[in-house]
Amino acid sequence: MLNKSKKFMSFGKMPIANNFLDKKNFNNEYFFDMEVAFNEEKSLLHLKNFPKPSQMFNENYKFFTSTSNYMINHFENFASKITKKFLKNGAKVIEIGCNDGTLLNFFQSKGFECLGFEPSSNVADLAEKKGLKVIKNFFSSEFCDENFRKKTDLICAANVICHIPDLDNLIKGIDSFLSDKGVFIFEEPYLGSMFEKISYDQIYDEHIYIFSISSIKKLFEKYGFELFLAEPQITHGGSMRYFIRRKNANGEVYNIDSLLEVEKNKKLDNLESCLDFKNNCEISKEKTLKKLKFFKNKGLKISGYAATSKSTTILNYCKIGTDIIDCIYDTTPEKIGKFSPGMHIPIIDYKNFQNNYPDVAYLFAWNHKEEITKKESVFLNKGGKWFSHVQL
Ligand code: SAH
Ligand code: TYD
């Protein structure tokens, strides 16, 4: 599908972004060449190579949706809004990548018949504990439950469609589950936001694709589906919510043409914008290192805050190790006591932050800035400084 893509940049050797590891595993850590390409035919930015999905999504998966109260709230609003607009009593709902069940549970509590797909069994177990029915596997038409075949009113997903290598197969799966008038609604980090913010840390092994409206339209129309609405979201540093249905459902198409025009003007549908982005990433790396070394030369202590997947790209691309950042504070029990992938910075329980305030804290979850700076407001009051490569 993407054989005419052009490679336009490389981030060098990268480890698995969520593989927070023990010291004993430092010597057998897996690395891959993280090269990025753009396919002009499909307007699609993608990784050239990436680890096998089972290396990333398994019983040791370390991302949990419910670590952010803001995201819990966001998904509650998602479920309410979509229910009002699209669902009737007795509707059937599928979620792809339901993780710990945060979003799907909001639909279940409204009385809909729900089914989740989740290959990472540790997080799937948490969803099951909420009483949700979960197929503990990668989404596929192979697992088509007869109860949901061609009868599903809503298929929803968040921050997972960009993880799925074979998009043709994904769309075949959507086709096998969705009812005639059903809708597929998903939201993913948006290419336009990444280019604007120079948030290159959105690129890591799991994010095989960074989508735009142009790319989603082209991908789905090939299979008789139609993108009929797109809504920008502020979550995860700038995302887009896409609304898809069967073309023969013959409904109204809303803002797509005008948004495509915006993307055209920003050259998001061609390689030119990617080359600008590459240039901007190199400048950003240089600036970040210069600033961090400036802090260090002044004798200031720098720590990290939030051991995100995104931080794996920043730390390994800029080669930031314990000589610059002493540790990273985080709330996730599964990450605490381990070391960051590749650069091996210790991950410490966030509760210790207040007793060890650094002079500067690199906020790796810059996308959760409001939630975190509010929670840690004393840090700023005591003279601490938040830092990031993106504008805070
Ligand atoms: N939707 C949640 C979780 C995002 S993380 C949120 O937005 O917070 C992505 C989740 O999708 C992980 O739990 C991962 O195990 C799962 N996943 C990855 N590939 C998948 C696939 N092909 N089918 C279904 N789930 C997948
Ligand atoms: P997120 O930006 O969702 O991570 P990713 O880049 O992996 O998508 O942030 C989740 C991580 O941030 C997770 O390791 C927990 C951590 N975190 C905190 O430590 N404190 C907080 O208040 C929040 C919201 C997140």
Side-chain angles (χ1 to χ4, degrees):
M1 174 179 98
L2 297 170
N3 45 11
K4 288 199 193 131
S5 300
K6 290 188 189 123
K7 174 190 142 185
F8 68 90
M9 79 176 287
S10 169
F11 284 92
K13 292 261 180 249
M14 281 287 156
I16 300 218
N18 260 311
N19 185 29
F20 292 85
L21 69 178
D22 292 317
K23 227 178 218 163
K24 66 175 191 305
N25 294 323
F26 284 179
N27 287 336
N28 52 20
E29 197 174 3
Y30 176 87
F31 287 86
F32 71 105
D33 269 323
M34 198 164 86
E35 298 181 328
V36 190
F38 190 73
N39 185 287
E40 287 199 309
E41 205 178 306
K42 290 266 181 278
S43 304
L44 187 57
L45 184 141
H46 64 97
L47 294 184
K48 268 200 77 168
N49 33 39
F50 43 86
K52 284 202 269 317
S54 58
Q55 284 175 277
M56 302 183 271
F57 310 115
N58 50 46
E59 67 283 4
N60 291 316
Y61 193 56
K62 293 194 172 54
F63 176 83
F64 300 80
T65 304
S66 56
T67 50
S68 162
N69 287 327
Y70 183 85
M71 290 309 294
I72 296 176
N73 200 20
H74 170 77
F75 285 130
E76 185 170 17
N77 291 335
F78 178 122
S80 298
K81 202 171 160 192
I82 300 306
T83 298
K84 258 191 224 134
K85 215 164 171 176
F86 296 102
L87 301 179
K88 297 200 176 77
N89 285 345
K92 294 180 198 283
V93 177
I94 284 180
E95 187 186 3
I96 304 173
C98 67
N99 197 267
D100 58 15
T102 301
L103 171 60
L104 198 56
N105 200 30
F106 287 122
F107 284 109
Q108 178 138 303
S109 58
K110 291 178 192 299
F112 301 123
E113 191 180 346
C114 293
L115 174 67
F117 279 86
E118 179 46 69
S120 302
S121 58
N122 61 329
V123 291
D125 286 347
L126 298 174
E128 278 184 338
K129 279 201 188 117
K130 291 179 175 144
L132 292 162
K133 186 174 168 194
V134 182
I135 294 182
K136 291 182 178 172
N137 219 318
F138 294 95
F139 175 70
S140 160
S141 55
E142 253 181 68
F143 301 102
C144 196
D145 180 321
E146 282 314 309
N147 216 12
F148 285 82
R149 184 184 296 277
K150 300 271 183 196
K151 290 184 205 142
T152 309
D153 304 283
L154 167 70
I155 302 178
C156 63
N159 309 301
V160 57
I161 301 308
C162 66
H163 298 9
I164 302 182
D166 186 345
L167 294 174
D168 293 306
N169 198 45
L170 160 84
I171 302 172
K172 281 182 199 149
I174 300 292
D175 182 41
S176 64
F177 285 105
L178 208 61
S179 67
D180 287 349
K181 299 274 180 202
V183 284
F184 173 37
I185 301 174
F186 64 101
E187 57 188 46
E188 305 284 312
Y190 178 56
L191 184 73
S193 307
M194 182 177 85
F195 281 180
E196 234 167 79
K197 296 195 161 95
I198 320 169
S199 47
Y200 63 81
D201 48 334
Q202 285 294 1
I203 302 178
Y204 54 91
D205 55 0
E206 296 180 18
H207 288 181
I208 300 169
Y209 305 102
I210 306 286
F211 296 118
S212 61
I213 293 164
S214 321
S215 57
I216 292 297
K217 182 175 189 304
K218 285 180 186 171
L219 285 166
F220 280 86
E221 68 189 6
K222 183 174 153 200
Y223 291 95
F225 286 95
E226 177 172 65
L227 173 64
F228 64 96
L229 178 66
E231 289 179 346
Q233 307 293 315
I234 57 167
T235 47
H236 288 300
S239 300
M240 190 63 74
R241 186 177 290 169
Y242 302 97
F243 296 71
I244 308 265
R245 67 173 167 232
R246 295 183 190 280
K247 196 161 175 55
N248 58 17
N250 291 324
E252 192 175 339
V253 175
Y254 299 95
N255 57 352
I256 303 305
D257 283 345
S258 61
L259 290 177
L260 285 174
E261 197 57 36
V262 173
E263 289 196 346
K264 235 186 179 25
N265 290 336
K266 292 187 176 167
K267 300 192 175 18
L268 291 193
D269 60 344
N270 73 51
L271 193 64
E272 217 177 300
S273 57
C274 298
L275 296 173
D276 284 345
F277 174 66
K278 171 186 191 261
N279 213 10
N280 289 337
C281 290
E282 285 161 5
I283 296 169
S284 167
K285 174 182 177 175
E286 225 172 89
K287 270 193 183 161
T288 301
L289 284 172
K290 200 168 156 192
K291 193 84 196 190
L292 292 175
K293 282 178 187 156
F294 169 77
F295 291 144
K296 272 310 246 199
N297 288 340
K298 275 179 58 174
L300 302 181
K301 178 167 134 165
I302 313 171
S303 303
Y305 199 101
T308 57
S309 329
K310 294 185 289 294
S311 70
T312 298
T313 297
I314 305 165
L315 297 170
N316 288 276
Y317 174 55
C318 300
K319 302 264 178 303
I320 299 168
T322 44
D323 51 331
I324 301 180
I325 289 184
D326 61 345
C327 68
I328 306 173
Y329 292 97
D330 195 276
T331 51
T332 316
E334 289 75 3
K335 294 181 186 174
I336 294 166
K338 305 219 179 264
F339 293 82
S340 75
M343 297 310 291
H344 303 160
I345 299 175
I347 313 301
I348 309 283
D349 191 332
Y350 81 106
K351 289 186 198 121
N352 296 317
F353 184 61
Q354 58 182 358
N355 303 322
N356 295 285
Y357 282 145
D359 301 293
V360 179
Y362 197 139
L363 182 57
F364 291 119
W366 49 268
N367 46 311
H368 296 308
K369 180 186 118 186
E370 267 158 42
E371 188 170 350
I372 292 175
T373 54
K374 195 165 159 199
K375 186 159 84 183
E376 300 289 3
S377 60
V378 179
F379 171 57
L380 211 58
N381 295 340
K382 290 207 163 161
K385 183 180 163 65
W386 292 105
F387 174 80
S388 169
H389 61 294
V390 299
Q391 203 168 353
L392 289 177

